[in-house]
Amino acid sequence: MRRTIRGVVLALVATIGLAVAGGLTVARPATAQIVLKSAYGEASLAGPAKARGAVVWSHGRSVDSEDSEAPTPLYMKAMRDAGWDVYRLDRMRVSDTLPNSSRALAGYSEALKAKGYRRVALTGQSFGAFISLIAAGQTNAIDAVVATAPAAFGNFTEAFDSYRENAAQLWPILREVRRARVMMFFFHGDDFDPGGRAEPARNILTQRGLSSLIVDQPSLLTGHGAANTGLFVRRFGACIARFAEEPPTPNDPPCDETWGRSPSAEMLQAALPANASGSARGNDATATLRPYMGMWYGSYINGREVALSVEKAEGDAVYADYVLGAGMESDQPAERVRRKGRIENGELVFDEKGRNILRYRLRPDGRVAASWLDKDGHGRLDTVLRRVN
């Protein structure tokens, strides 16, 4: 949800009408434009008899654009790959209110259950998280809710007078959840988050006897849109799929996967240089370059591993292999390229003509701050690398 308008939880419910989408009929406000559709096309749906369940993702709400045009987040592909039929609830903002949209979502959930799905789970981002939780208080058809960065009352910058309601209004909503287990994610640096929401949410759900899993400020995932990133699905996709299917147990694997903290076997093999120790010789920059020698590893927010193997220096030139792990899509294979750079003011820089720019700077803690910059200035990725022995 970007530039969220101030929501009104106690708004009057509009006149009820009927909507038909994907073979489902549900009562909803006649003036609303709220449509349930397959997230990946009708051909992707296995149907109630074969799918593990149906999951509905709900987008955020913006003042100046239609969030119904926002792409389905990558972690929903993990749900599809786990055997779920994945839907999304598209809502035009003119009638997208908490009462209208939550009522429609509850109706669609009941229709999915009536169609024969064994499980119905709701996932939602920001405003979509709020309506998913509210819907879970309106029907028994919902088995699980996954709410990422829940917000419906603006952010610190543009709605300071109301953004604390993102906490205050969350508590009564959680107290109304009927039977669904609830998974929630709160992210560091989220301008919509008043802070301190994890523990009260956990306590309310525990007191209600509802299964819950609250993930509060996971490392390296920052900002309101952190759940839309490849890094999020790499680390939490499997956990979300497990939670949607069954309540958590003490014997479950850790929810936060270790991906990106240690090189995968494929990445390690691709990144390891022939001479891992390397050498710096023959120039005045030897002392500056020596701390960079060897292999450095980390991951980007887009869910790709990255490594830099600094091999040698010849004169003023520094030679290294830049390795990028496979991406989230099938057309994003692992890549390895040879780069020629230099030391500039203590920073390692690779900016050959016609190629993307790489910059590395040693940090006081012994790690390396790394930046990838698109050669045309259209994008930037920042991360921190650690040395791999």
Side-chain angles (χ1 to χ4, degrees):
M1 179 180 65
R2 300 179 303 275
R3 296 185 59 199
T4 315
I5 65 170
R6 185 171 183 170
V8 181
V9 176
L10 300 178
L12 295 176
V13 178
T15 304
I16 300 300
L18 291 178
V20 180
L24 302 176
T25 302
V26 57
R28 67 168 175 85
T31 57
Q33 299 181 48
I34 304 175
V35 179
L36 184 75
K37 67 179 185 181
S38 170
Y40 303 111
E42 294 297 321
S44 70
L45 301 178
K50 295 181 179 180
R52 305 196 77 86
V55 56
V56 181
W57 178 74
S58 295
H59 56 76
R61 192 193 193 289
S62 302
V63 169
D64 52 5
S65 64
E66 294 292 353
D67 269 25
S68 58
E69 299 175 359
T72 306
L74 289 170
Y75 77 88
M76 296 307 293
K77 290 185 177 180
M79 295 293 291
R80 180 195 63 187
D81 295 344
W84 289 72
D85 279 356
V86 181
Y87 295 87
R88 55 179 289 155
L89 189 73
D90 284 351
R91 316 174 313 273
M92 300 300 289
R93 71 181 188 273
V94 67
S95 56
D96 187 13
T97 66
L98 292 176
N100 283 355
S101 298
S102 61
R103 180 180 290 272
L105 183 54
Y108 279 127
S109 299
E110 291 173 346
L112 288 167
K113 220 42 175 308
K115 197 174 181 181
Y117 282 104
R118 291 170 286 176
R119 305 174 184 89
V120 173
L122 305 182
T123 64
Q125 162 68 17
S126 192
F127 194 93
F130 256 70
I131 66 170
S132 297
L133 291 166
I134 295 172
Q138 297 175 345
T139 177
N140 290 323
I142 298 165
D143 298 288
V145 176
V146 178
T148 60
F153 299 90
N155 60 21
F156 177 88
T157 303
E158 298 172 342
F160 180 78
D161 291 340
S162 65
Y163 96 109
R164 291 182 183 85
E165 295 298 299
N166 290 324
Q169 294 294 345
L170 183 59
W171 315 141
I173 290 171
L174 293 179
R175 293 188 184 101
E176 293 297 321
V177 173
R178 293 190 181 182
R179 56 174 294 272
R181 53 190 172 273
V182 176
M183 186 178 195
M184 302 181 74
F185 289 86
F186 301 111
F187 299 109
H188 181 73
D190 181 356
D191 198 32
F192 291 79
D193 193 340
R197 295 194 290 176
E199 199 58 32
R202 187 180 293 113
N203 290 339
I204 290 171
L205 294 168
T206 299
Q207 291 168 6
R208 297 285 321 290
L210 299 173
S211 295
S212 66
L213 186 54
I214 311 299
V215 181
D216 187 28
Q217 301 192 53
S219 64
L220 304 180
L221 287 163
T222 60
H224 193 56
N228 299 324
T229 65
L231 181 58
F232 179 82
V233 65
R234 293 284 199 190
R235 286 173 51 186
F236 294 103
C239 182
I240 290 172
R242 288 196 305 269
F243 185 87
E245 185 161 351
E246 300 290 347
T249 71
N251 297 324
D252 287 345
C255 186
D256 191 348
E257 299 286 347
T258 59
W259 185 93
R261 298 173 187 177
S262 298
S264 63
E266 297 79 8
M267 186 70 175
L268 191 60
Q269 182 177 9
L272 192 64
N275 177 12
S277 61
S279 62
R281 61 183 185 274
N283 65 12
D284 294 335
T286 298
T288 304
L289 177 63
R290 186 172 290 115
Y292 287 103
M293 300 301 295
M295 178 177 164
W296 300 87
Y297 170 82
S299 62
Y300 287 132
I301 193 69
N302 63 7
R304 302 188 75 167
E305 294 177 284
V306 61
L308 182 76
S309 293
V310 183
E311 182 181 343
K312 63 181 180 179
E314 292 181 356
D316 292 331
V318 177
Y319 294 90
D321 287 330
Y322 177 74
V323 183
L324 194 60
M328 302 298 299
E329 306 291 348
S330 59
D331 61 350
Q332 296 175 328
E335 305 172 23
R336 178 172 181 158
V337 294
R338 187 70 163 170
R339 299 297 302 259
K340 177 182 178 182
R342 67 188 186 281
I343 293 290
E344 182 180 277
N345 298 323
E347 188 176 39
L348 187 54
V349 180
F350 300 89
D351 58 355
E352 303 103 303
K353 184 177 180 180
R355 308 184 76 173
N356 297 325
I357 300 169
L358 306 174
R359 306 187 75 97
Y360 303 90
R361 175 179 50 80
L362 282 170
R363 295 173 18 140
D365 62 2
R367 296 189 293 173
V368 165
S371 297
W372 173 95
L373 298 94
D374 179 74
K375 62 180 182 294
D376 298 320
H378 296 154
R380 177 185 181 123
L381 292 169
D382 295 301
T383 190
V384 176
L385 309 181
R386 64 174 183 81
R387 185 183 294 279
V388 177
N389 295 323

